[in-house]
mmCIF file of all heavy atoms in Angstrom:
data_model
loop_
_atom_site.group_PDB
_atom_site.id
_atom_site.type_symbol
_atom_site.label_atom_id
_atom_site.label_comp_id
_atom_site.label_asym_id
_atom_site.label_seq_id
_atom_site.Cartn_x
_atom_site.Cartn_y
_atom_site.Cartn_z
ATOM 1 N N MET A 120 12.843 15.937 -16.742
ATOM 2 C CA MET A 120 13.522 15.325 -15.597
ATOM 3 C C MET A 120 13.360 13.808 -15.619
ATOM 4 O O MET A 120 14.305 13.075 -15.341
ATOM 5 C CB MET A 120 12.941 15.914 -14.304
ATOM 6 C CG MET A 120 13.763 15.628 -13.061
ATOM 7 S SD MET A 120 15.244 16.679 -12.894
ATOM 8 C CE MET A 120 16.552 15.548 -13.292
ATOM 9 N N VAL A 121 12.159 13.341 -15.956
ATOM 10 C CA VAL A 121 11.915 11.895 -16.015
ATOM 11 C C VAL A 121 12.828 11.251 -17.061
ATOM 12 O O VAL A 121 13.401 10.180 -16.825
ATOM 13 C CB VAL A 121 10.435 11.604 -16.329
ATOM 14 C CG1 VAL A 121 10.250 10.142 -16.743
ATOM 15 C CG2 VAL A 121 9.558 11.928 -15.119
ATOM 16 N N GLU A 122 12.982 11.906 -18.195
ATOM 17 C CA GLU A 122 13.872 11.370 -19.230
ATOM 18 C C GLU A 122 15.304 11.282 -18.714
ATOM 19 O O GLU A 122 16.007 10.299 -18.962
ATOM 20 C CB GLU A 122 13.823 12.258 -20.480
ATOM 21 C CG GLU A 122 12.529 12.126 -21.270
ATOM 22 C CD GLU A 122 12.258 10.684 -21.712
ATOM 23 O OE1 GLU A 122 13.203 10.017 -22.170
ATOM 24 O OE2 GLU A 122 11.101 10.227 -21.574
ATOM 25 N N GLU A 123 15.700 12.306 -18.003
ATOM 26 C CA GLU A 123 17.061 12.341 -17.465
ATOM 27 C C GLU A 123 17.277 11.210 -16.449
ATOM 28 O O GLU A 123 18.251 10.457 -16.527
ATOM 29 C CB GLU A 123 17.303 13.714 -16.812
ATOM 30 C CG GLU A 123 18.646 13.876 -16.149
ATOM 31 C CD GLU A 123 19.804 13.717 -17.127
ATOM 32 O OE1 GLU A 123 19.611 13.939 -18.343
ATOM 33 O OE2 GLU A 123 20.908 13.342 -16.672
ATOM 34 N N PHE A 124 16.345 11.074 -15.496
ATOM 35 C CA PHE A 124 16.420 9.972 -14.522
ATOM 36 C C PHE A 124 16.550 8.638 -15.243
ATOM 37 O O PHE A 124 17.370 7.783 -14.893
ATOM 38 C CB PHE A 124 15.120 9.880 -13.699
ATOM 39 C CG PHE A 124 14.900 10.993 -12.719
ATOM 40 C CD1 PHE A 124 13.623 11.282 -12.286
ATOM 41 C CD2 PHE A 124 15.963 11.728 -12.208
ATOM 42 C CE1 PHE A 124 13.391 12.279 -11.361
ATOM 43 C CE2 PHE A 124 15.746 12.736 -11.280
ATOM 44 C CZ PHE A 124 14.448 13.017 -10.857
ATOM 45 N N SER A 125 15.692 8.461 -16.234
ATOM 46 C CA SER A 125 15.576 7.156 -16.879
ATOM 47 C C SER A 125 16.846 6.815 -17.657
ATOM 48 O O SER A 125 17.323 5.684 -17.629
ATOM 49 C CB SER A 125 14.370 7.152 -17.807
ATOM 50 O OG SER A 125 13.196 7.384 -17.044
ATOM 51 N N ARG A 126 17.386 7.803 -18.339
ATOM 52 C CA ARG A 126 18.621 7.575 -19.085
ATOM 53 C C ARG A 126 19.720 7.118 -18.122
ATOM 54 O O ARG A 126 20.403 6.130 -18.365
ATOM 55 C CB ARG A 126 19.041 8.867 -19.801
ATOM 56 C CG ARG A 126 20.245 8.699 -20.706
ATOM 57 C CD ARG A 126 20.432 9.888 -21.644
ATOM 58 N NE ARG A 126 20.077 11.167 -21.051
ATOM 59 C CZ ARG A 126 19.008 11.885 -21.394
ATOM 60 N NH1 ARG A 126 18.192 11.460 -22.336
ATOM 61 N NH2 ARG A 126 18.766 13.044 -20.803
ATOM 62 N N GLN A 127 19.810 7.816 -16.993
ATOM 63 C CA GLN A 127 20.841 7.464 -16.008
ATOM 64 C C GLN A 127 20.745 6.012 -15.545
ATOM 65 O O GLN A 127 21.747 5.353 -15.311
ATOM 66 C CB GLN A 127 20.712 8.359 -14.759
ATOM 67 C CG GLN A 127 21.219 9.777 -14.929
ATOM 68 C CD GLN A 127 20.771 10.667 -13.767
ATOM 69 O OE1 GLN A 127 20.343 10.170 -12.731
ATOM 70 N NE2 GLN A 127 20.859 11.967 -13.957
ATOM 71 N N GLU A 128 19.525 5.522 -15.382
ATOM 72 C CA GLU A 128 19.337 4.213 -14.746
ATOM 73 C C GLU A 128 18.969 3.097 -15.722
ATOM 74 O O GLU A 128 18.676 1.978 -15.296
ATOM 75 C CB GLU A 128 18.247 4.307 -13.661
ATOM 76 C CG GLU A 128 18.536 5.335 -12.572
ATOM 77 C CD GLU A 128 19.694 4.886 -11.669
ATOM 78 O OE1 GLU A 128 19.943 3.658 -11.592
ATOM 79 O OE2 GLU A 128 20.339 5.767 -11.065
ATOM 80 N N GLY A 129 18.915 3.377 -17.010
ATOM 81 C CA GLY A 129 18.508 2.356 -17.961
ATOM 82 C C GLY A 129 17.066 1.938 -17.778
ATOM 83 O O GLY A 129 16.693 0.791 -17.999
ATOM 84 N N PHE A 130 16.260 2.891 -17.342
ATOM 85 C CA PHE A 130 14.863 2.629 -17.016
ATOM 86 C C PHE A 130 13.994 3.049 -18.193
ATOM 87 O O PHE A 130 14.300 4.024 -18.881
ATOM 88 C CB PHE A 130 14.506 3.455 -15.773
ATOM 89 C CG PHE A 130 13.193 3.138 -15.134
ATOM 90 C CD1 PHE A 130 13.081 2.116 -14.195
ATOM 91 C CD2 PHE A 130 12.063 3.888 -15.431
ATOM 92 C CE1 PHE A 130 11.874 1.832 -13.573
ATOM 93 C CE2 PHE A 130 10.845 3.610 -14.815
ATOM 94 C CZ PHE A 130 10.751 2.588 -13.882
ATOM 95 N N ALA A 131 12.905 2.290 -18.462
ATOM 96 C CA ALA A 131 11.981 2.651 -19.541
ATOM 97 C C ALA A 131 10.714 3.233 -18.918
ATOM 98 O O ALA A 131 9.872 2.491 -18.420
ATOM 99 C CB ALA A 131 11.648 1.423 -20.372
ATOM 100 N N PRO A 132 10.566 4.548 -18.907
ATOM 101 C CA PRO A 132 9.433 5.180 -18.221
ATOM 102 C C PRO A 132 8.134 5.033 -19.010
ATOM 103 O O PRO A 132 8.133 5.088 -20.230
ATOM 104 C CB PRO A 132 9.851 6.650 -18.147
ATOM 105 C CG PRO A 132 10.713 6.845 -19.349
ATOM 106 C CD PRO A 132 11.438 5.544 -19.556
ATOM 107 N N LEU A 133 7.048 4.820 -18.278
ATOM 108 C CA LEU A 133 5.732 4.737 -18.911
ATOM 109 C C LEU A 133 4.830 5.879 -18.467
ATOM 110 O O LEU A 133 4.043 6.391 -19.244
ATOM 111 C CB LEU A 133 5.062 3.408 -18.553
ATOM 112 C CG LEU A 133 5.730 2.160 -19.150
ATOM 113 C CD1 LEU A 133 5.107 0.889 -18.566
ATOM 114 C CD2 LEU A 133 5.558 2.179 -20.668
#
Side-chain angles (χ1 to χ4, degrees):
Chain A
M120 194 78 254
V121 165
E122 287 303 317
E123 177 61 25
F124 290 157
S125 299
R126 185 166 36 251
Q127 284 167 16
E128 302 290 336
F130 191 86
L133 292 172

